[in-house]
Amino acid sequence: ARVAPCFARRETRLTCRDMVNGLLSELEDYNCWTLAEAAGHASPCRMQHLLSRARVDERRLLDAAADWAAAHLTAGQDEDDVVLIVDETADEKSSADCAGAARQYSGTVGGIAMCQVAVTLTCASPAGHALISRALYLPADWAADEERRELAGVPDEIMFATKPQLAGDLLQHAHDRGIRAGFTAGDEVYGGLELRKGIRERGIGYVLAVRSNYMVTMASGRCLTVKTAASLVKPAIWQRMRTGSATKGAKDYHWAMIEITPDDTPEGQDPGHAMPLLLLRRHRYTGTVSSFLCWSPRPVPLAKLVKVAVTRWRIEEDHQLSKQVSGLDSGQVTAWTSWHRRTAISLLACAFLAVAAAWQRTADIGASMLDLIPATVPELLRQLRGTVIPEPRRDKPHRDAWALWRRRHQYGAQQAHQRWHAYADETPR
């Protein structure tokens, strides 16, 4: 009901409903062919029309889903316990013709590969967490290539922007829509000066990781790298704190914090009320030290900063879940509009599951007394399939009709490729 106004026609809205149901079904793949077959369509034309040419406001659709999910996940929560998390994820591609696809580094694929990279935003609270926004990253070379931009349908107003700039735009858009949080968290990519200054202008605290060679100014005025500053911490200052538990047991690290001089105070803001800190985390066995720049508009204890730093991993879980349960990385689309519509619909499905799981965990009061773990999204999805989410259509006449359609389409594609290669092999006259 909330996203219905985003569609100009009822038929398009119903096709979107079918796509959401298909994304949440148990299928071998999640492209327009498999989704259309599961929904009972005669061909993938309606699905492809939805993603490419239909009159759909995908920005409004994602905003409606984000507002709904954030409202449910933050209801009754202290604003300081709500964290907005920025990160990126990548999908491997086979061609540079896909919007934004290029050989680039991504931690998701474990190095340099042909991939699309998207900057994402998660809203996390004690009740649950969900991806609420995304922005496609265009590498500088790709953004400057007019031919590829035209083929992919990239709007003229879209120019090159760094990942921190895209993250800042996502945070500002969430703030403008009334989504409030006490802190922002992110990894080393997002620890730069401009993003931190923008976060402070909105009066929000942050816990952002920085690299070991980042320069900080100590309270004494001495400039040091983060690595050097960590080496000056005396053994007695490190505090062992529990940062959560995993399937194999509790996770403990050693933590310390050092007061530093802020370098990101916005113009016109009084730096006297700020609390800038360098937060250090040391692995108990390897001794590896990770560093975080922290700021809060009011004094907070070390335990609070540690909790925010640990919450950053929620976005990694969201990336994994969105690819596992709603096929976020299985779109097989190439154009700018198709990518944004496909990801918006996928995140809409994820938002539904995240809120449903949060509601179920609240309803399961006393579950631990019954030796049950809290309700998870995958387990909830198993319960919804076949009840709320209809089963894919698999009757024999429908499957036979689709087998014929696929073979006929693939024959036509084969003939077109052969004609093209024959033309390309001809000697120019």
Side-chain angles (χ1 to χ4, degrees), residues 218-264:
M218 310 297 287
S220 61
R222 185 182 176 188
C223 292
L224 301 171
T225 64
V226 168
K227 183 177 181 180
T228 304
S231 67
L232 300 178
V233 177
K234 297 180 180 179
I237 296 180
W238 292 100
Q239 298 184 39
R240 179 176 171 180
M241 300 183 66
R242 178 164 296 180
T243 59
S245 58
T247 55
K248 297 182 180 180
K251 297 187 294 184
D252 293 353
Y253 290 91
H254 290 138
W255 298 83
M257 58 183 182
I258 304 173
E259 185 176 355
I260 59 175
T261 301
D263 61 351
D264 54 9

mmCIF file of all heavy atoms in Angstrom, residues 218-264:
data_model
loop_
_atom_site.group_PDB
_atom_site.id
_atom_site.type_symbol
_atom_site.label_atom_id
_atom_site.label_comp_id
_atom_site.label_asym_id
_atom_site.label_seq_id
_atom_site.Cartn_x
_atom_site.Cartn_y
_atom_site.Cartn_z
ATOM 1 N N MET A 218 47.728 15.019 18.794
ATOM 2 C CA MET A 218 47.476 14.693 20.198
ATOM 3 C C MET A 218 47.049 15.946 20.961
ATOM 4 O O MET A 218 47.205 17.078 20.483
ATOM 5 C CB MET A 218 48.719 14.081 20.820
ATOM 6 C CG MET A 218 49.326 12.944 20.004
ATOM 7 S SD MET A 218 48.217 11.523 19.838
ATOM 8 C CE MET A 218 48.317 10.857 21.502
ATOM 9 N N ALA A 219 46.519 15.745 22.150
ATOM 10 C CA ALA A 219 46.098 16.880 22.976
ATOM 11 C C ALA A 219 47.271 17.798 23.295
ATOM 12 O O ALA A 219 47.097 19.005 23.504
ATOM 13 C CB ALA A 219 45.457 16.366 24.268
ATOM 14 N N SER A 220 48.491 17.238 23.292
ATOM 15 C CA SER A 220 49.691 18.049 23.566
ATOM 16 C C SER A 220 50.112 18.880 22.360
ATOM 17 O O SER A 220 51.029 19.699 22.455
ATOM 18 C CB SER A 220 50.843 17.123 23.967
ATOM 19 O OG SER A 220 51.156 16.222 22.914
ATOM 20 N N GLY A 221 49.479 18.661 21.187
ATOM 21 C CA GLY A 221 49.846 19.363 19.974
ATOM 22 C C GLY A 221 50.796 18.594 19.084
ATOM 23 O O GLY A 221 51.134 19.050 17.990
ATOM 24 N N ARG A 222 51.221 17.434 19.498
ATOM 25 C CA ARG A 222 52.159 16.626 18.723
ATOM 26 C C ARG A 222 51.415 15.842 17.652
ATOM 27 O O ARG A 222 50.371 15.247 17.923
ATOM 28 C CB ARG A 222 52.885 15.672 19.667
ATOM 29 C CG ARG A 222 53.977 14.838 19.014
ATOM 30 C CD ARG A 222 54.583 13.902 20.056
ATOM 31 N NE ARG A 222 55.582 13.005 19.460
ATOM 32 C CZ ARG A 222 56.140 11.991 20.117
ATOM 33 N NH1 ARG A 222 55.775 11.738 21.383
ATOM 34 N NH2 ARG A 222 57.032 11.229 19.517
ATOM 35 N N CYS A 223 51.936 15.842 16.422
ATOM 36 C CA CYS A 223 51.327 15.119 15.300
ATOM 37 C C CYS A 223 51.975 13.742 15.158
ATOM 38 O O CYS A 223 53.209 13.647 15.044
ATOM 39 C CB CYS A 223 51.473 15.906 14.006
ATOM 40 S SG CYS A 223 50.495 17.428 13.968
ATOM 41 N N LEU A 224 51.149 12.706 15.150
ATOM 42 C CA LEU A 224 51.645 11.338 15.057
ATOM 43 C C LEU A 224 50.758 10.540 14.116
ATOM 44 O O LEU A 224 49.592 10.884 13.890
ATOM 45 C CB LEU A 224 51.642 10.650 16.437
ATOM 46 C CG LEU A 224 52.454 11.283 17.571
ATOM 47 C CD1 LEU A 224 52.118 10.576 18.877
ATOM 48 C CD2 LEU A 224 53.930 11.211 17.277
ATOM 49 N N THR A 225 51.303 9.462 13.580
ATOM 50 C CA THR A 225 50.448 8.517 12.863
ATOM 51 C C THR A 225 49.660 7.717 13.893
ATOM 52 O O THR A 225 50.046 7.608 15.068
ATOM 53 C CB THR A 225 51.274 7.559 11.995
ATOM 54 O OG1 THR A 225 52.099 6.746 12.846
ATOM 55 C CG2 THR A 225 52.142 8.317 11.005
ATOM 56 N N VAL A 226 48.556 7.159 13.442
ATOM 57 C CA VAL A 226 47.727 6.345 14.329
ATOM 58 C C VAL A 226 48.519 5.161 14.877
ATOM 59 O O VAL A 226 48.404 4.807 16.062
ATOM 60 C CB VAL A 226 46.476 5.866 13.566
ATOM 61 C CG1 VAL A 226 45.753 4.787 14.349
ATOM 62 C CG2 VAL A 226 45.550 7.031 13.284
ATOM 63 N N LYS A 227 49.355 4.563 14.042
ATOM 64 C CA LYS A 227 50.161 3.430 14.483
ATOM 65 C C LYS A 227 51.127 3.828 15.586
ATOM 66 O O LYS A 227 51.292 3.106 16.584
ATOM 67 C CB LYS A 227 50.923 2.851 13.289
ATOM 68 C CG LYS A 227 51.742 1.616 13.611
ATOM 69 C CD LYS A 227 52.402 1.062 12.360
ATOM 70 C CE LYS A 227 53.214 -0.199 12.668
ATOM 71 N NZ LYS A 227 53.854 -0.752 11.445
ATOM 72 N N THR A 228 51.783 4.998 15.444
ATOM 73 C CA THR A 228 52.711 5.469 16.475
ATOM 74 C C THR A 228 51.979 5.791 17.765
ATOM 75 O O THR A 228 52.452 5.474 18.866
ATOM 76 C CB THR A 228 53.475 6.705 15.972
ATOM 77 O OG1 THR A 228 54.143 6.390 14.749
ATOM 78 C CG2 THR A 228 54.489 7.173 16.997
ATOM 79 N N ALA A 229 50.805 6.432 17.634
ATOM 80 C CA ALA A 229 50.029 6.761 18.828
ATOM 81 C C ALA A 229 49.614 5.500 19.577
ATOM 82 O O ALA A 229 49.646 5.465 20.817
ATOM 83 C CB ALA A 229 48.796 7.573 18.430
ATOM 84 N N ALA A 230 49.271 4.441 18.865
ATOM 85 C CA ALA A 230 48.873 3.191 19.519
ATOM 86 C C ALA A 230 50.034 2.568 20.271
ATOM 87 O O ALA A 230 49.846 1.947 21.331
ATOM 88 C CB ALA A 230 48.321 2.217 18.486
ATOM 89 N N SER A 231 51.254 2.720 19.739
ATOM 90 C CA SER A 231 52.423 2.132 20.406
ATOM 91 C C SER A 231 52.754 2.827 21.714
ATOM 92 O O SER A 231 53.491 2.281 22.543
ATOM 93 C CB SER A 231 53.633 2.182 19.468
ATOM 94 O OG SER A 231 54.026 3.531 19.237
ATOM 95 N N LEU A 232 52.219 4.041 21.935
ATOM 96 C CA LEU A 232 52.489 4.785 23.169
ATOM 97 C C LEU A 232 51.537 4.424 24.297
ATOM 98 O O LEU A 232 51.737 4.867 25.441
ATOM 99 C CB LEU A 232 52.393 6.294 22.894
ATOM 100 C CG LEU A 232 53.370 6.857 21.844
ATOM 101 C CD1 LEU A 232 53.118 8.349 21.652
ATOM 102 C CD2 LEU A 232 54.816 6.605 22.258
ATOM 103 N N VAL A 233 50.532 3.624 24.002
ATOM 104 C CA VAL A 233 49.563 3.253 25.039
ATOM 105 C C VAL A 233 50.209 2.268 26.005
ATOM 106 O O VAL A 233 50.740 1.225 25.595
ATOM 107 C CB VAL A 233 48.306 2.635 24.399
ATOM 108 C CG1 VAL A 233 47.324 2.180 25.477
ATOM 109 C CG2 VAL A 233 47.639 3.628 23.460
ATOM 110 N N LYS A 234 50.149 2.577 27.268
ATOM 111 C CA LYS A 234 50.743 1.715 28.293
ATOM 112 C C LYS A 234 49.884 0.458 28.497
ATOM 113 O O LYS A 234 48.662 0.502 28.332
ATOM 114 C CB LYS A 234 50.888 2.478 29.599
ATOM 115 C CG LYS A 234 51.825 3.669 29.501
ATOM 116 C CD LYS A 234 51.929 4.388 30.827
ATOM 117 C CE LYS A 234 52.882 5.594 30.731
ATOM 118 N NZ LYS A 234 52.978 6.317 32.015
ATOM 119 N N PRO A 235 50.520 -0.662 28.872
ATOM 120 C CA PRO A 235 49.763 -1.917 29.041
ATOM 121 C C PRO A 235 48.593 -1.798 30.004
ATOM 122 O O PRO A 235 47.554 -2.441 29.800
ATOM 123 C CB PRO A 235 50.824 -2.894 29.555
ATOM 124 C CG PRO A 235 52.120 -2.349 29.034
ATOM 125 C CD PRO A 235 51.970 -0.854 29.057
ATOM 126 N N ALA A 236 48.739 -0.982 31.044
ATOM 127 C CA ALA A 236 47.674 -0.891 32.043
ATOM 128 C C ALA A 236 46.430 -0.178 31.520
ATOM 129 O O ALA A 236 45.351 -0.287 32.112
ATOM 130 C CB ALA A 236 48.202 -0.165 33.282
ATOM 131 N N ILE A 237 46.575 0.550 30.427
ATOM 132 C CA ILE A 237 45.444 1.318 29.909
ATOM 133 C C ILE A 237 44.483 0.425 29.113
ATOM 134 O O ILE A 237 43.287 0.682 29.062
ATOM 135 C CB ILE A 237 45.952 2.483 29.042
ATOM 136 C CG1 ILE A 237 46.751 3.457 29.913
ATOM 137 C CG2 ILE A 237 44.816 3.207 28.348
ATOM 138 C CD1 ILE A 237 47.302 4.640 29.163
ATOM 139 N N TRP A 238 45.004 -0.630 28.496
ATOM 140 C CA TRP A 238 44.143 -1.510 27.694
ATOM 141 C C TRP A 238 43.106 -2.186 28.587
ATOM 142 O O TRP A 238 43.425 -2.673 29.677
ATOM 143 C CB TRP A 238 44.970 -2.576 26.996
ATOM 144 C CG TRP A 238 45.870 -2.040 25.916
ATOM 145 C CD1 TRP A 238 47.197 -1.782 26.021
ATOM 146 C CD2 TRP A 238 45.497 -1.705 24.588
ATOM 147 N NE1 TRP A 238 47.697 -1.307 24.842
ATOM 148 C CE2 TRP A 238 46.665 -1.249 23.929
ATOM 149 C CE3 TRP A 238 44.305 -1.736 23.871
ATOM 150 C CZ2 TRP A 238 46.658 -0.834 22.604
ATOM 151 C CZ3 TRP A 238 44.303 -1.334 22.547
ATOM 152 C CH2 TRP A 238 45.465 -0.888 21.926
ATOM 153 N N GLN A 239 41.858 -2.202 28.140
ATOM 154 C CA GLN A 239 40.772 -2.839 28.879
ATOM 155 C C GLN A 239 40.181 -3.974 28.049
ATOM 156 O O GLN A 239 39.853 -3.775 26.871
ATOM 157 C CB GLN A 239 39.667 -1.832 29.205
ATOM 158 C CG GLN A 239 40.116 -0.683 30.093
ATOM 159 C CD GLN A 239 38.948 0.213 30.461
ATOM 160 O OE1 GLN A 239 37.845 -0.272 30.721
ATOM 161 N NE2 GLN A 239 39.193 1.509 30.487
ATOM 162 N N ARG A 240 40.067 -5.120 28.666
ATOM 163 C CA ARG A 240 39.458 -6.258 27.973
ATOM 164 C C ARG A 240 37.948 -6.148 28.098
ATOM 165 O O ARG A 240 37.405 -6.075 29.219
ATOM 166 C CB ARG A 240 39.949 -7.566 28.563
ATOM 167 C CG ARG A 240 39.346 -8.812 27.910
ATOM 168 C CD ARG A 240 39.961 -10.064 28.484
ATOM 169 N NE ARG A 240 39.269 -11.264 28.043
ATOM 170 C CZ ARG A 240 39.605 -12.497 28.403
ATOM 171 N NH1 ARG A 240 40.641 -12.683 29.226
ATOM 172 N NH2 ARG A 240 38.930 -13.534 27.961
ATOM 173 N N MET A 241 37.262 -6.134 26.926
ATOM 174 C CA MET A 241 35.810 -5.979 26.927
ATOM 175 C C MET A 241 35.197 -6.978 25.966
ATOM 176 O O MET A 241 35.764 -7.267 24.904
ATOM 177 C CB MET A 241 35.414 -4.552 26.525
ATOM 178 C CG MET A 241 35.956 -3.478 27.447
ATOM 179 S SD MET A 241 35.394 -1.823 26.993
ATOM 180 C CE MET A 241 33.640 -1.970 27.310
ATOM 181 N N ARG A 242 34.040 -7.465 26.324
ATOM 182 C CA ARG A 242 33.307 -8.397 25.470
ATOM 183 C C ARG A 242 32.534 -7.604 24.423
ATOM 184 O O ARG A 242 31.815 -6.655 24.737
ATOM 185 C CB ARG A 242 32.361 -9.242 26.300
ATOM 186 C CG ARG A 242 31.509 -10.218 25.492
ATOM 187 C CD ARG A 242 30.905 -11.281 26.386
ATOM 188 N NE ARG A 242 31.946 -12.111 26.985
ATOM 189 C CZ ARG A 242 31.708 -13.132 27.814
ATOM 190 N NH1 ARG A 242 30.467 -13.436 28.136
ATOM 191 N NH2 ARG A 242 32.698 -13.827 28.322
ATOM 192 N N THR A 243 32.688 -7.988 23.176
ATOM 193 C CA THR A 243 32.036 -7.265 22.073
ATOM 194 C C THR A 243 30.942 -8.084 21.422
ATOM 195 O O THR A 243 30.539 -7.798 20.302
ATOM 196 C CB THR A 243 33.083 -6.876 21.014
ATOM 197 O OG1 THR A 243 33.713 -8.065 20.520
ATOM 198 C CG2 THR A 243 34.139 -5.973 21.605
ATOM 199 N N GLY A 244 30.474 -9.089 22.075
ATOM 200 C CA GLY A 244 29.411 -9.921 21.521
ATOM 201 C C GLY A 244 29.774 -11.383 21.602
ATOM 202 O O GLY A 244 30.774 -11.768 22.212
ATOM 203 N N SER A 245 28.947 -12.201 20.993
ATOM 204 C CA SER A 245 29.181 -13.636 21.000
ATOM 205 C C SER A 245 28.864 -14.192 19.623
ATOM 206 O O SER A 245 28.016 -13.674 18.901
ATOM 207 C CB SER A 245 28.321 -14.333 22.061
ATOM 208 O OG SER A 245 26.945 -14.080 21.820
ATOM 209 N N ALA A 246 29.576 -15.246 19.267
ATOM 210 C CA ALA A 246 29.361 -15.935 17.998
ATOM 211 C C ALA A 246 28.997 -17.382 18.288
ATOM 212 O O ALA A 246 28.833 -17.781 19.442
ATOM 213 C CB ALA A 246 30.622 -15.846 17.137
ATOM 214 N N THR A 247 28.865 -18.173 17.230
ATOM 215 C CA THR A 247 28.465 -19.561 17.415
ATOM 216 C C THR A 247 29.506 -20.354 18.193
ATOM 217 O O THR A 247 29.181 -21.354 18.830
ATOM 218 C CB THR A 247 28.241 -20.226 16.049
ATOM 219 O OG1 THR A 247 29.431 -20.080 15.254
ATOM 220 C CG2 THR A 247 27.074 -19.572 15.320
ATOM 221 N N LYS A 248 30.775 -19.896 18.144
ATOM 222 C CA LYS A 248 31.838 -20.622 18.835
ATOM 223 C C LYS A 248 32.163 -20.049 20.206
ATOM 224 O O LYS A 248 33.084 -20.513 20.860
ATOM 225 C CB LYS A 248 33.104 -20.616 17.960
ATOM 226 C CG LYS A 248 32.926 -21.341 16.637
ATOM 227 C CD LYS A 248 34.213 -21.344 15.824
ATOM 228 C CE LYS A 248 34.032 -22.073 14.501
ATOM 229 N NZ LYS A 248 35.278 -22.077 13.690
ATOM 230 N N GLY A 249 31.414 -19.013 20.634
ATOM 231 C CA GLY A 249 31.650 -18.459 21.963
ATOM 232 C C GLY A 249 31.776 -16.946 21.938
ATOM 233 O O GLY A 249 31.567 -16.289 20.913
ATOM 234 N N ALA A 250 32.127 -16.381 23.104
ATOM 235 C CA ALA A 250 32.228 -14.932 23.246
ATOM 236 C C ALA A 250 33.448 -14.389 22.498
ATOM 237 O O ALA A 250 34.453 -15.071 22.336
ATOM 238 C CB ALA A 250 32.327 -14.569 24.725
ATOM 239 N N LYS A 251 33.309 -13.124 22.037
ATOM 240 C CA LYS A 251 34.405 -12.446 21.346
ATOM 241 C C LYS A 251 34.898 -11.306 22.229
ATOM 242 O O LYS A 251 34.139 -10.374 22.505
ATOM 243 C CB LYS A 251 33.942 -11.917 19.991
ATOM 244 C CG LYS A 251 33.507 -12.998 19.017
ATOM 245 C CD LYS A 251 33.222 -12.421 17.643
ATOM 246 C CE LYS A 251 32.028 -11.503 17.665
ATOM 247 N NZ LYS A 251 31.700 -11.005 16.300
ATOM 248 N N ASP A 252 36.138 -11.401 22.674
ATOM 249 C CA ASP A 252 36.728 -10.386 23.531
ATOM 250 C C ASP A 252 37.916 -9.738 22.831
ATOM 251 O O ASP A 252 38.688 -10.405 22.135
ATOM 252 C CB ASP A 252 37.211 -11.001 24.858
ATOM 253 C CG ASP A 252 36.049 -11.497 25.697
ATOM 254 O OD1 ASP A 252 34.894 -11.246 25.315
ATOM 255 O OD2 ASP A 252 36.303 -12.146 26.725
ATOM 256 N N TYR A 253 38.065 -8.425 23.019
ATOM 257 C CA TYR A 253 39.214 -7.676 22.512
ATOM 258 C C TYR A 253 39.707 -6.756 23.615
ATOM 259 O O TYR A 253 39.028 -6.512 24.620
ATOM 260 C CB TYR A 253 38.824 -6.837 21.287
ATOM 261 C CG TYR A 253 38.517 -7.630 20.050
ATOM 262 C CD1 TYR A 253 37.209 -8.048 19.766
ATOM 263 C CD2 TYR A 253 39.511 -7.959 19.131
ATOM 264 C CE1 TYR A 253 36.921 -8.775 18.621
ATOM 265 C CE2 TYR A 253 39.234 -8.677 17.974
ATOM 266 C CZ TYR A 253 37.935 -9.082 17.737
ATOM 267 O OH TYR A 253 37.647 -9.795 16.598
ATOM 268 N N HIS A 254 40.906 -6.230 23.422
ATOM 269 C CA HIS A 254 41.432 -5.203 24.306
ATOM 270 C C HIS A 254 41.191 -3.841 23.658
ATOM 271 O O HIS A 254 41.475 -3.653 22.473
ATOM 272 C CB HIS A 254 42.931 -5.419 24.558
ATOM 273 C CG HIS A 254 43.210 -6.624 25.392
ATOM 274 N ND1 HIS A 254 44.239 -7.500 25.126
ATOM 275 C CD2 HIS A 254 42.573 -7.129 26.488
ATOM 276 C CE1 HIS A 254 44.248 -8.475 26.038
ATOM 277 N NE2 HIS A 254 43.231 -8.266 26.862
ATOM 278 N N TRP A 255 40.714 -2.887 24.462
ATOM 279 C CA TRP A 255 40.342 -1.573 23.944
ATOM 280 C C TRP A 255 41.042 -0.469 24.740
ATOM 281 O O TRP A 255 41.324 -0.628 25.927
ATOM 282 C CB TRP A 255 38.831 -1.365 24.020
ATOM 283 C CG TRP A 255 38.039 -2.336 23.200
ATOM 284 C CD1 TRP A 255 37.663 -3.603 23.545
ATOM 285 C CD2 TRP A 255 37.518 -2.119 21.890
ATOM 286 N NE1 TRP A 255 36.947 -4.193 22.544
ATOM 287 C CE2 TRP A 255 36.833 -3.297 21.498
ATOM 288 C CE3 TRP A 255 37.544 -1.047 21.002
ATOM 289 C CZ2 TRP A 255 36.197 -3.429 20.281
ATOM 290 C CZ3 TRP A 255 36.904 -1.170 19.774
ATOM 291 C CH2 TRP A 255 36.244 -2.351 19.422
ATOM 292 N N ALA A 256 41.291 0.632 24.058
ATOM 293 C CA ALA A 256 41.852 1.821 24.711
ATOM 294 C C ALA A 256 41.418 3.038 23.914
ATOM 295 O O ALA A 256 41.089 2.936 22.719
ATOM 296 C CB ALA A 256 43.378 1.741 24.774
ATOM 297 N N MET A 257 41.408 4.204 24.551
ATOM 298 C CA MET A 257 41.084 5.422 23.822
ATOM 299 C C MET A 257 42.019 6.546 24.248
ATOM 300 O O MET A 257 42.448 6.630 25.399
ATOM 301 C CB MET A 257 39.621 5.819 24.011
ATOM 302 C CG MET A 257 39.157 6.042 25.417
ATOM 303 S SD MET A 257 37.375 6.419 25.435
ATOM 304 C CE MET A 257 37.107 6.696 27.191
ATOM 305 N N ILE A 258 42.334 7.400 23.260
ATOM 306 C CA ILE A 258 43.263 8.515 23.455
ATOM 307 C C ILE A 258 42.559 9.790 23.028
ATOM 308 O O ILE A 258 41.947 9.847 21.954
ATOM 309 C CB ILE A 258 44.547 8.319 22.617
ATOM 310 C CG1 ILE A 258 45.217 6.980 22.951
ATOM 311 C CG2 ILE A 258 45.512 9.475 22.835
ATOM 312 C CD1 ILE A 258 46.388 6.660 22.036
ATOM 313 N N GLU A 259 42.663 10.829 23.835
ATOM 314 C CA GLU A 259 42.069 12.118 23.474
ATOM 315 C C GLU A 259 42.936 12.798 22.416
ATOM 316 O O GLU A 259 44.163 12.836 22.529
ATOM 317 C CB GLU A 259 41.946 13.005 24.703
ATOM 318 C CG GLU A 259 41.214 14.318 24.420
ATOM 319 C CD GLU A 259 41.021 15.154 25.671
ATOM 320 O OE1 GLU A 259 41.377 14.666 26.770
ATOM 321 O OE2 GLU A 259 40.538 16.285 25.549
ATOM 322 N N ILE A 260 42.309 13.326 21.382
ATOM 323 C CA ILE A 260 43.028 13.999 20.307
ATOM 324 C C ILE A 260 42.384 15.349 20.028
ATOM 325 O O ILE A 260 41.294 15.661 20.534
ATOM 326 C CB ILE A 260 43.035 13.152 19.015
ATOM 327 C CG1 ILE A 260 41.595 12.881 18.549
ATOM 328 C CG2 ILE A 260 43.781 11.845 19.224
ATOM 329 C CD1 ILE A 260 41.512 12.167 17.218
ATOM 330 N N THR A 261 43.036 16.142 19.226
ATOM 331 C CA THR A 261 42.517 17.446 18.826
ATOM 332 C C THR A 261 41.711 17.281 17.545
ATOM 333 O O THR A 261 42.208 16.692 16.574
ATOM 334 C CB THR A 261 43.660 18.445 18.592
ATOM 335 O OG1 THR A 261 44.405 18.574 19.806
ATOM 336 C CG2 THR A 261 43.121 19.801 18.168
ATOM 337 N N PRO A 262 40.484 17.785 17.483
ATOM 338 C CA PRO A 262 39.659 17.564 16.285
ATOM 339 C C PRO A 262 40.184 18.339 15.080
ATOM 340 O O PRO A 262 40.694 19.456 15.214
ATOM 341 C CB PRO A 262 38.284 18.080 16.720
ATOM 342 C CG PRO A 262 38.578 19.098 17.790
ATOM 343 C CD PRO A 262 39.781 18.575 18.513
ATOM 344 N N ASP A 263 40.067 17.732 13.911
ATOM 345 C CA ASP A 263 40.445 18.406 12.671
ATOM 346 C C ASP A 263 39.263 18.578 11.739
ATOM 347 O O ASP A 263 39.424 18.971 10.573
ATOM 348 C CB ASP A 263 41.543 17.609 11.947
ATOM 349 C CG ASP A 263 41.081 16.207 11.562
ATOM 350 O OD1 ASP A 263 39.988 15.805 12.010
ATOM 351 O OD2 ASP A 263 41.812 15.519 10.826
ATOM 352 N N ASP A 264 38.051 18.263 12.232
ATOM 353 C CA ASP A 264 36.875 18.291 11.375
ATOM 354 C C ASP A 264 35.759 19.178 11.925
ATOM 355 O O ASP A 264 34.582 18.969 11.616
ATOM 356 C CB ASP A 264 36.338 16.875 11.169
ATOM 357 C CG ASP A 264 36.069 16.161 12.503
ATOM 358 O OD1 ASP A 264 36.134 16.822 13.553
ATOM 359 O OD2 ASP A 264 35.824 14.946 12.482
#
